[in-house]
Amino acid sequence: MGQWSDRLAELGITLPAVVAPVGSYTPALRVGDLVYTSGQLPVVDGKLDVVGKVSEGAEGVVRPNQANAAARQCALNALAAVDSVAGLDNIVRVVKLVGFVASANGFTGQPGVINGASDLIGEIFGDAGVHARSAVGVAELPLGAPVEVELIVQVR
């Protein structure tokens, strides 16, 4: 085991299997000392954990706290993709996290939703997890997902 694998074990976190692509792309690609992940959805055991647009108020929508948990799952899926091409314990630092939130009209809480992913990265990697970030509201995401997250990480 290595530093990051040990940290996951301490936190009681198990990386999921790499999510199969839903299109013509690869889940992660290494270029030099960087790994870029494709956008990862909140897939658990082969299906979306939650579906819908994020909103504070309307009925039948995904609440911000549910979307925050979904963003955390997206980050776990992104780390699994990184692990598949470079090995989790070869991560030097997390460089950038980009999060997309399928937002109902008037919803402006995208940063709080994407904190689910950023907070997980911080829990695992500490100072090596301090990253640049974008949190973007969008009209729709693939398969009706409420959130999508991608990572760029530096590896040895």
Side-chain angles (χ1 to χ4, degrees):
M1 298 268 271
Q3 176 182 12
W4 306 129
S5 296
D6 290 346
R7 181 66 182 142
L8 284 180
E10 285 174 26
L11 294 170
I13 297 171
T14 303
L15 282 184
V18 177
V19 176
V22 297
S24 300
Y25 61 88
T26 186
L29 183 65
R30 182 175 180 163
V31 178
D33 68 344
L34 296 176
V35 175
Y36 298 80
T37 71
S38 295
Q40 299 293 313
L41 302 177
V43 173
V44 176
D45 296 328
K47 63 182 174 119
L48 283 176
D49 195 32
V50 63
V51 176
K53 291 189 180 191
V54 182
S55 178
E56 292 283 355
E59 289 298 315
V61 298
V62 178
R63 298 283 182 239
N65 63 329
Q66 293 173 296
N68 179 284
R72 182 180 176 95
Q73 183 63 47
C74 292
L76 281 173
N77 292 343
L79 289 173
V82 171
D83 186 46
S84 74
V85 298
L88 186 72
D89 290 316
N90 288 319
I91 294 175
V92 174
R93 73 165 301 111
V94 177
V95 177
K96 184 156 188 187
L97 186 150
V98 179
F100 303 94
V101 180
S103 303
N105 279 344
F107 181 72
T108 59
Q110 293 83 8
V113 168
I114 300 305
N115 280 348
S118 291
D119 292 348
L120 174 73
I121 297 300
E123 288 172 39
I124 296 169
F125 297 102
D127 288 344
V130 176
H131 54 272
R133 186 179 93 171
S134 297
V136 182
V138 298
E140 300 287 344
L141 286 169
L143 308 176
V147 294
E148 182 174 348
V149 170
E150 60 184 55
L151 292 176
I152 301 171
V153 301
Q154 182 185 20
V155 294
R156 25 179 113 62

